[in-house]
Amino acid sequence: MTVTNAEYLERFLEDIDRVMGGRPGAVSDDRWLVNNYDPDKLRVVTPYLDFEDPRVRAEVVTLLGNVRERGAYDKILRMRDREGDLVSMACLGYLSTLREDDEAAPYLLDIMDHARGDEFVNAARRLAGIARSKDMPRVRKIYGQVGGSMRDETRVVIERIISRDPELAKSREFLVSVPVYPDETKFERFLDSSIEYLDVRYRKNVLPKAEISSTTFNNIARAIKKMRIRLYNEADNLQFYGPDKEDRFHELSGLIKWASEDIGRKTVIASESPGKSRMCPGCGGMLVCYKGIWMCPDCGGDLRSSSNLF
């Protein structure tokens, strides 16, 4: 269960009282504060970097080092040179911790690039605690190259990086999706089915309507989301494909934008009783039909007869 900022502040202030009562380490050694920290808690903690008691300032700096909070780096760097010995030592400890992390991260990524088994797992678990936002591209590359438990461990690294950077949280669904290995044939099928879905079926059956059922809305939204994620994961692969694929990549991107804006203007009404769902046997995604051919906009698979679906 996520700890609210109010709950965190309550515990934090109790520990500050203990520090002022003569108990060093009451804040920085509190495992509850460390374990329940997330980037949103920085705004709760930051004001106490200017607290009048240097013992409290030192404790807060040490806590931020323990949780690898980079959002306070510039302020703590300035504090190092203007504070007394107690706070300056805490600042040096914080800066040293982050510097060690900066040196360790590339080394751990190298291990994950080449190792397997326990060596990979140990490196991934260590990296999860220190990886930076700038490590995300390399972590995602590894994520796409491994499978099974190794992929699970790598996903944890991705999730932990996202948890430390609120800006990345906006792109979470893309970052945790599995990168696609370059395959021009599969990508072409995906483009064909997706462009037909939006430029033909959507334009003919949905565009003219002012009202659509919630089932239709959800199916279209789900398909568009999958298209966005697939394009995100294919962007780096365009260098391996023919030049026409980049043109069609942008064509589909434009259709996605157009359809998203259009569906957002429609009135959504209660759905009719749900019928049988049409799911792709290859990836489990929603299938769409055009001229009797059921296609998956996610993986590019198709079934030539709808009778094979049920």
Side-chain angles (χ1 to χ4, degrees):
M1 184 176 66
T2 303
V3 172
T4 67
N5 283 4
E7 291 170 330
Y8 195 88
L9 179 61
E10 182 179 4
R11 175 70 168 250
F12 179 71
L13 293 177
E14 289 174 356
D15 285 347
I16 284 179
D17 286 341
R18 295 186 182 98
V19 170
M20 297 178 68
R23 290 182 56 186
V27 171
S28 57
D29 292 341
D30 187 336
R31 298 312 302 171
W32 189 93
L33 290 180
V34 173
N35 293 337
N36 289 287
Y37 186 87
D38 61 62
D40 194 45
K41 302 298 184 293
L42 181 59
R43 56 181 172 176
V44 170
V45 172
T46 298
Y48 295 87
L49 288 172
D50 297 315
F51 197 74
E52 59 184 359
D53 191 323
R55 294 173 298 176
V56 171
R57 296 199 298 276
E59 284 285 317
V60 174
V61 170
T62 303
L63 172 66
L64 292 174
N66 289 343
V67 297
R68 268 66 180 183
E69 175 54 75
R70 293 178 176 270
Y73 183 91
D74 291 342
K75 181 173 181 62
I76 291 175
L77 184 62
R78 294 191 298 270
M79 289 174 64
R80 178 193 61 181
D81 298 324
R82 69 170 188 244
E83 293 279 358
D85 289 346
L86 180 64
V87 179
S88 290
M89 289 298 294
C91 292
L92 286 172
Y94 168 92
L95 296 170
S96 177
T97 295
L98 267 59
R99 186 163 51 246
E100 289 173 3
D101 290 350
D102 288 341
E103 294 171 353
Y107 170 72
L108 294 169
L109 284 164
D110 284 342
I111 293 176
M112 292 176 66
D113 254 335
H114 302 102
R116 294 294 180 266
D118 290 343
E119 190 175 4
F120 181 97
V121 170
N122 291 336
R125 290 180 179 177
R126 172 77 176 102
L127 185 66
I130 67 173
R132 307 149 299 176
S133 299
K134 69 179 183 179
D135 296 321
M136 182 66 82
R138 194 169 173 191
V139 174
R140 272 188 41 85
K141 182 179 178 181
I142 295 170
Y143 186 50
Q145 293 172 341
V146 299
S149 61
M150 293 168 65
R151 177 168 288 171
D152 294 339
E153 294 288 349
T154 309
R155 177 169 177 143
V156 171
V157 178
I158 293 172
E159 294 276 16
R160 292 290 298 279
I161 296 174
I162 294 171
S163 74
R164 290 191 286 268
D165 187 341
E167 287 300 311
L168 291 183
K170 302 172 185 176
S171 304
R172 182 186 176 280
E173 65 181 9
F174 298 102
L175 295 172
V176 300
S177 65
V178 180
V180 178
Y181 188 80
D183 188 319
E184 190 164 5
T185 300
K186 287 184 178 180
F187 185 49
E188 187 166 19
R189 288 203 303 268
F190 159 75
L191 289 170
D192 288 343
S193 60
S194 298
I195 290 173
E196 284 182 305
Y197 177 74
L198 294 177
D199 204 25
V200 179
R201 295 190 69 244
Y202 184 95
R203 192 180 296 279
K204 177 183 177 181
N205 300 320
V206 182
L207 179 63
K209 298 179 179 179
E211 297 181 345
I212 57 175
S213 71
S214 59
T215 297
T216 298
F217 179 89
N218 291 334
N219 287 345
I220 294 171
R222 188 182 299 111
I224 287 176
K225 177 181 176 181
K226 288 186 175 182
M227 291 176 197
R228 289 185 190 278
I229 291 174
R230 180 66 178 270
L231 289 183
Y232 175 83
N233 283 307
E234 290 280 11
D236 290 337
N237 295 337
L238 292 176
Q239 60 185 308
F240 304 113
Y241 302 152
D244 63 306
K245 300 303 180 297
E246 183 169 359
D247 292 339
R248 299 192 72 206
F249 179 100
H250 293 301
E251 178 185 359
L252 178 55
S253 297
L255 286 169
I256 289 172
K257 183 175 185 295
W258 162 74
S260 298
E261 291 174 350
D262 180 71
I263 200 172
R265 292 191 290 265
K266 297 188 182 300
T267 300
V268 180
I269 58 178
S271 299
E272 65 280 359
S273 299
K276 293 181 179 179
S277 61
R278 296 169 172 83
M279 310 299 290
C280 174
C283 71
M286 293 294 295
L287 288 168
V288 298
C289 182
Y290 176 63
K291 293 184 178 178
I293 299 175
W294 290 90
M295 298 173 293
C296 177
D298 187 33
C299 71
D302 65 80
L303 293 175
R304 297 295 166 174
S305 170
S306 61
S307 63
N308 294 328
L309 295 173
F310 307 111

